[in-house]
Amino acid sequence: MKENINVMNNNMDAMATGTANVPVLPARPVSAPSGTSTGFRRHVITGHGMYDRGATTNTTASVNGEAASVATGKAPNARLARLAKAVPGNTAKTMADVSGAPIDRAADLHLKTAPSGFWGKIRSGRLGLTTFDIKMIGVVLMVVDHIHQMFASHGAPNWLDWFGRPVATLFFFVSVIGFSHTHSKKAYMVRLYVCMVLMAVLDVVLQQVVNYDGAQLVNNIFRDLFIGTVFMAAVDCFEAAFKKRGNKASAGFGAAVRGGDERTGSAHGVIDRNDAASAGANRSDASQSAMHAGRHTGSVTRGFRVKKTMEGVLLLALPFLLSLVLLPFLAQGDGPQSPVMIWVLRVLTVVDPAILLAENTVMVLLIPVMYALRNAKYSVIWQSLAIAVVAVCYAFAGQTQWIMIFAVIPILLYNGVKGRGDKYFFYIFYPAHIAALYVLASLV
């Protein structure tokens, strides 16, 4: 057992430099004393292979003749505990060989014991809704809402509009998940902005080409989602600015004296484990160098925090500042405007990601709130509480948007699994169904 753990630790260090040749460790038979708890999964997958956790007990078990104390529900190594993840949906005491299973995404997930009960089944992925499922629920409700929008003048009942009230909230939640796990946040934002512009152009073209006065096209959920990504980028800046940062220079010197392998740069050179001998010979000079390095690192950290804070403030204010550009046009009201002003306004409504133009206006602020709560313990519960607070505000204002509270049902059932890909389905389906319903309503 000890040898296997050491092999995995060495692989972890090697992987940091990109030189790891990671084996899949074979499962080893475990003989545990009577009374040993077997309610947890023995085999877990890590970013470095498969590992047999051994008997899940807080007593000493015999592993191939070697004594190993394994705490209940814990991995025998803290580093392994941060990297390991049990396979979702497996309740068996042992599991089949999974050497061919993809394990590259397991490193950012935490070790889980086999859950029990209804809520445990949801959180383990055996029951509950994936990201794709929640998105499809939103799509179905959205279509019903837009049927009411396009056919209201033809007698569509008003209660159809109720189905659309949770839609934006569901899409906001999915957007938070997508932005959190995307490989490139910049590409994610650019994609949404391009879709925002194309959707705005489609709205203008449809209303110019199709002669239908029964509905006003202001549909552009892409604008809301893009503004949401700007706010989430601001949250990233604040998190980077206020993230706890230790004194790396001092830590590096301490590790060097102890024979560790950390390195630190300073105005006085680089201190690493090879300096341990000289540090022992002249401890006073080495300590002074470490103090200077610590002050240098502290000044760099303060500058970094100020920079990131300013970036976050700017990004957070940007959608509001861009709304100021529209004020001269709003001041004229419905009075006559010159053709130039009309075209300028049309261009602005296409390219300007102003929160004033957002389909859900200030409700978009739910996105950065849910994003900031994404890493909290019981995050979906806290996110649902934030949604409930906004819903209560709408209820007191007498608006039907309070029905958004029902979005918490699928959100609480979210099991953390992505589900089907279909990455571009929504980007295509959203404008397509808007155009189809608008044209169909004009022909009825």
Side-chain angles (χ1 to χ4, degrees):
M1 173 71 74
K2 186 180 297 183
E3 288 78 9
N4 279 351
I5 295 175
N6 291 335
V7 169
M8 296 190 70
N9 287 340
N10 293 335
N11 283 338
M12 293 177 190
D13 295 334
M15 182 165 284
T17 61
T19 60
N21 184 13
V22 180
V24 175
L25 299 179
R28 304 182 66 181
V30 176
S31 58
S34 60
T36 295
S37 170
T38 57
F40 301 97
R41 297 187 182 92
R42 281 174 41 193
H43 300 78
V44 295
I45 300 175
T46 73
H48 308 278
M50 188 177 75
Y51 173 65
D52 186 346
R53 284 167 50 192
T56 54
T57 175
N58 55 5
T59 62
T60 300
S62 176
V63 184
N64 279 9
E66 300 173 1
S69 178
V70 185
T72 302
K74 302 288 186 181
N77 181 282
R79 298 172 68 188
L80 180 62
R82 290 193 299 269
L83 293 174
K85 177 185 181 298
V87 174
N90 190 341
T91 57
K93 189 168 64 174
T94 60
M95 66 183 184
D97 180 24
V98 289
S99 57
I103 59 176
D104 56 325
R105 295 187 300 273
D108 63 343
L109 300 172
H110 60 278
L111 182 66
K112 296 181 180 179
T113 59
S116 60
F118 178 75
W119 184 255
K121 292 178 181 179
I122 291 176
R123 304 312 300 164
S124 68
R126 283 177 284 150
L127 189 64
L129 301 175
T130 65
T131 305
F132 179 80
D133 296 333
I134 294 177
K135 187 184 295 184
M136 288 302 101
I137 291 173
V139 166
V140 172
L141 295 176
M142 175 185 67
V143 171
V144 176
D145 179 39
H146 289 157
I147 288 175
H148 168 263
Q149 176 190 358
M150 304 303 176
F151 292 89
S153 60
H154 296 294
N158 289 332
W159 52 264
L160 288 177
D161 178 68
W162 301 349
F163 288 89
R165 299 313 93 213
V167 171
T169 309
L170 293 176
F171 288 152
F172 291 172
F173 178 74
V174 172
S175 177
V176 167
I177 297 172
F179 194 75
S180 301
H181 295 92
T182 184
H183 295 293
S184 173
K185 293 184 177 181
K186 181 179 179 180
Y188 188 90
M189 295 177 71
V190 169
R191 183 165 61 247
L192 279 175
Y193 182 78
V194 171
C195 290
M196 179 199 85
V197 172
L198 293 178
M199 187 67 211
V201 171
L202 178 63
D203 286 342
V204 173
V205 171
L206 279 175
Q207 293 182 100
Q208 292 293 322
V209 174
V210 179
N211 186 20
Y212 180 57
D213 298 327
Q216 183 70 24
L217 288 184
V218 292
N219 307 78
N220 198 340
I221 192 63
F222 298 122
R223 192 189 307 272
D224 297 47
L225 298 180
F226 174 74
I227 294 173
T229 61
V230 174
F231 287 147
M232 288 189 284
V235 173
D236 282 340
C237 290
F238 291 134
E239 289 180 349
F242 294 102
K243 182 179 180 181
K244 185 177 180 181
R245 295 173 179 271
N247 191 330
K248 295 182 180 179
S250 299
F253 170 73
V257 172
R258 294 189 302 270
D261 58 356
E262 289 88 346
R263 297 171 61 89
T264 178
S266 71
H268 301 272
V270 177
I271 301 172
D272 63 9
R273 62 186 304 173
N274 295 324
D275 296 326
S278 60
N282 193 343
R283 189 70 60 96
S284 177
D285 292 342
S287 299
Q288 186 177 5
S289 296
M291 291 175 62
H292 283 296
R295 286 194 292 269
H296 175 71
T297 303
S299 63
V300 172
T301 301
R302 284 191 295 273
F304 175 82
R305 285 176 172 170
V306 170
K307 177 184 176 182
K308 283 298 179 181
T309 301
M310 295 302 296
E311 289 179 359
V313 171
L314 178 61
L315 288 172
L316 198 61
L318 187 60
F320 297 95
L321 295 176
L322 292 175
S323 298
L324 299 178
V325 182
L326 302 171
L327 294 182
F329 300 94
L330 298 178
Q332 296 186 19
D334 297 329
Q337 296 181 350
S338 66
V340 175
M341 293 288 287
I342 292 175
W343 277 104
V344 170
L345 181 59
R346 285 178 178 176
V347 171
L348 286 177
T349 56
V350 169
V351 302
D352 189 1
I355 196 169
L356 195 62
L357 295 175
E359 191 174 343
N360 294 278
T361 58
V362 294
M363 203 178 89
V364 177
L365 291 172
L366 254 180
I367 296 179
V369 172
M370 290 193 290
Y371 186 70
L373 295 170
R374 72 194 184 283
N375 293 325
K377 188 176 182 180
Y378 308 117
S379 58
V380 292
I381 295 179
W382 288 109
Q383 290 169 331
S384 298
L385 287 175
I387 295 169
V389 169
V390 177
V392 169
C393 293
Y394 278 115
F396 278 113
Q399 300 183 31
T400 57
Q401 185 57 42
W402 71 266
I403 301 176
M404 64 184 285
I405 188 65
F406 290 101
V408 304
I409 297 176
I411 289 176
L412 288 173
L413 293 176
Y414 176 57
N415 59 18
V417 179
K418 179 181 179 181
R420 290 182 56 183
D422 291 339
K423 181 177 180 180
Y424 296 103
F425 167 78
F426 181 74
Y427 294 99
I428 298 173
F429 179 81
Y430 181 80
H433 93 281
I434 291 290
L437 290 175
Y438 187 78
V439 172
L440 183 62
S442 68
L443 297 176
V444 174

